[in-house]
Amino acid sequence: MVYMDYNATTPCDKRVVDQMLPYFSDKFANASSIYLPAREAKKAVEQARGNVASLLGCSSDEVFFTSGGTESDNWAIMSTAFKLQDKGKHIITSQIEHHAVLHTCKALQKRGYEVTYLPVDRYGMIDMAQLKKSIRKDTILITIMHANNEIGTIQPIEEISCLAKTQGVLFHTDAVQTVGKIPFQLKKSGPDMLSLSAHKLYGPKGIGALYIRKEVSLPPLIYGGGQERGRRSGTTNVPAIVGLGKAAEIAMEEMGKELLNVRKLRDDLEQRIQQSIPEIIVNGHPESRLYNTVNVCIKYIEGESILLSLDFEGICASSGSACTSGSLEPSHVLLAIGLPHEVAHGSLRLSLGRYNTTEDVDKVVSVLPGIVERLRQISPYWQDRKQ
Ligand code: PLP
């Protein structure tokens, strides 16, 4: 099997699994209890929190564990909206956010909030001047993702943070696709809140975190037993947190080298696809883009048919995001960068990671042009294209 869908999820690193295993059985105690095994579980959780904090460049008490990126996004947006509703009910986001952000904003619109969905350019980049113009007296939150999961475009979050700060507006960023992938450290001038998810950095599924800057007192979204210093209740998921901690530790040690390897493979793959398949469009920003992501629209054919043919060859890839595949609507991200419906339908995303090799790239390049040619031969759009 060739796996090239690392933006959808990553395999759990074997070292992560090994670290987690004892916490399912021998070290199973509830981290909130008071006896020795419980105190040991709690210690492991705090060590994991420390690792995540070091990876982000913040302090441990600014890291709160959640069930993943979706919950972190919901928490940041919903709780800010509820807390600041007396100040205003206006939120700014972008048209290309993950549905964890977009659908949360839509839910708030139903409760009387106003949301500005900033458009993006051909490369998926927001316009800073337009963002500045969109800020109003009643704006309470800007939520703009760090890197897009489909096309990989990286937004200027430092600049957005500075702007938000000078305007007195809170800034949240969904960094699910960048934490553990690209090195960055949260500075004083950075975002006020940041979402991350373990399963995108070789950790387990169902665990993530929300960074909340010390000065921001975000109320809980989930109430109960008062875990996570009263901010996020629910029995502590010790094995998963330990896994996230280990994944963060590995990322800190290996990210630099991994980045170079994966970028080399990705560049080679993208170049060879461009050379061997006519009439394609490469999506995403030419420079400010995740180093592991290739997103192309292959004109005149359906992305879903390409995926099925690749699957037949043992290659795992995706078309649009994992959440939208299976639906007939083309990706909202590809439509937002201005692609016509019929072109957006022909999208293919190949996202690479830790375990890809040059052989994987060779395999994809050896089968993809043939698949495209075969599908185009049976496509009426291909036959009609010159008429
Ligand atoms: N945000 C982005 C940008 C993502 O890519 C994803 C996952 O696909 C999520 C949020 C949701 O994260 P999780 O799967 O941990 O809920």
Side-chain angles (χ1 to χ4, degrees):
M1 179 183 91
V2 173
Y3 185 78
M4 284 202 188
D5 204 12
Y6 281 80
N7 286 7
T9 195
T10 60
C12 219
D13 191 298
K14 175 88 172 52
R15 293 166 289 180
V16 169
V17 177
D18 288 344
Q19 191 90 9
M20 289 170 69
L21 281 176
Y23 293 91
F24 286 103
S25 47
D26 301 346
K27 302 182 175 187
F28 64 89
N30 188 325
S32 301
S33 301
I34 60 160
Y35 32 80
L36 181 65
R39 293 200 304 274
E40 279 171 359
K42 172 111 178 105
K43 202 167 145 202
V45 167
E46 293 317 313
Q47 184 162 355
R49 199 187 306 281
N51 287 353
V52 173
S54 302
L55 177 64
L56 298 178
C58 65
S59 77
S60 292
D61 55 5
E62 293 175 311
V63 174
F64 297 86
F65 293 116
T66 65
S67 67
T70 302
E71 185 189 320
S72 297
D73 287 345
N74 272 262
W75 182 12
I77 299 167
M78 286 281 189
S79 288
T80 301
F82 297 154
K83 185 182 173 214
L84 299 182
Q85 58 186 311
D86 291 338
K87 182 183 173 222
K89 288 190 155 191
H90 179 235
I91 293 168
I92 301 173
T93 187
S94 83
Q95 291 178 356
I96 62 165
E97 298 298 308
H98 189 272
H99 285 131
V101 168
L102 287 180
H103 290 171
T104 306
C105 288
K106 291 258 177 314
L108 283 172
Q109 278 179 281
K110 286 195 183 137
R111 300 184 195 191
Y113 289 80
E114 261 187 88
V115 181
T116 299
Y117 298 90
L118 291 175
V120 291
D121 66 13
R122 153 87 189 85
Y123 302 114
M125 199 58 96
I126 62 149
D127 176 359
M128 286 300 297
Q130 201 167 9
L131 170 61
K132 192 171 177 189
K133 258 200 284 177
S134 309
I135 299 174
R136 317 187 313 209
K137 266 210 177 81
D138 61 342
T139 306
I140 48 171
L141 177 70
I142 297 170
T143 172
I144 289 177
M145 71 199 319
H146 193 187
N148 183 267
N149 43 308
E150 294 189 41
I151 57 175
T153 299
I154 300 170
Q155 304 293 344
I157 59 162
E158 283 277 317
E159 263 184 80
I160 302 172
S161 301
C162 289
L163 175 65
K165 223 148 247 103
T166 54
Q167 303 285 325
V169 179
L170 288 176
F171 173 43
H172 162 254
T173 189
D174 174 338
V176 165
Q177 289 293 341
T178 51
V179 173
K181 235 185 234 158
I182 54 176
F184 68 90
Q185 293 274 289
L186 286 166
K187 304 193 188 92
K188 278 232 168 316
S189 58
D192 299 295
M193 291 167 279
L194 175 148
S195 303
L196 66 95
S197 174
H199 76 98
K200 309 286 184 178
L201 60 137
Y202 309 92
K205 293 167 184 58
I207 189 76
L210 182 65
Y211 154 81
I212 309 173
R213 180 185 293 284
K214 245 188 221 109
E215 297 77 23
V216 178
S217 61
L218 190 74
L221 187 67
I222 295 178
Y223 292 87
Q227 289 86 352
E228 293 295 287
R229 289 153 283 148
R231 307 284 278 279
R232 198 285 188 182
S233 291
T235 299
T236 309
N237 189 348
V238 180
I241 290 171
V242 167
L244 170 54
K246 184 68 185 174
E249 182 192 310
I250 296 170
M252 276 184 282
E253 281 162 13
E254 301 182 0
M255 201 179 341
K257 192 162 154 258
E258 195 163 287
L259 184 154
L260 297 176
N261 290 341
V262 175
R263 174 180 287 146
K264 197 157 163 280
L265 292 176
R266 192 281 309 264
D267 288 350
D268 184 35
L269 176 66
E270 187 168 284
Q271 209 173 26
R272 288 165 72 188
I273 289 175
Q274 281 180 289
Q275 283 163 355
S276 57
I277 305 175
E279 303 218 39
I280 63 170
I281 297 171
V282 177
N283 299 311
H285 197 278
E287 284 109 37
S288 186
R289 178 157 57 116
L290 288 175
Y291 58 83
N292 76 322
T293 306
V294 182
N295 188 307
V296 287
C297 283
I298 304 180
K299 289 188 186 171
Y300 311 112
I301 53 177
E302 285 284 332
E304 301 293 311
S305 324
I306 306 169
L307 291 190
L308 289 176
S309 303
L310 286 174
D311 182 29
F312 190 72
E313 298 284 348
I315 298 167
C316 307
S318 94
S319 173
S321 71
C323 310
T324 46
S325 62
S327 93
L328 287 174
E329 269 299 297
S331 135
H332 65 286
V333 176
L334 298 178
L335 295 181
I337 62 172
L339 294 175
H341 265 64
E342 67 277 11
V343 175
H345 267 300
S347 82
L348 172 67
R349 180 187 73 183
L350 296 157
S351 47
L352 289 76
R354 188 170 289 170
Y355 304 108
N356 283 127
T357 60
T358 46
E359 286 75 32
D360 293 344
V361 172
D362 290 345
K363 165 97 190 199
V364 172
V365 175
S366 73
V367 300
L368 187 58
I371 291 172
V372 171
E373 200 174 326
R374 185 171 49 77
L375 291 172
R376 279 180 170 168
Q377 288 313 320
I378 54 171
S379 159
Y381 303 110
W382 178 251
Q383 313 297 336
D384 293 348
R385 74 192 188 285
K386 286 191 187 116
Q387 286 166 17

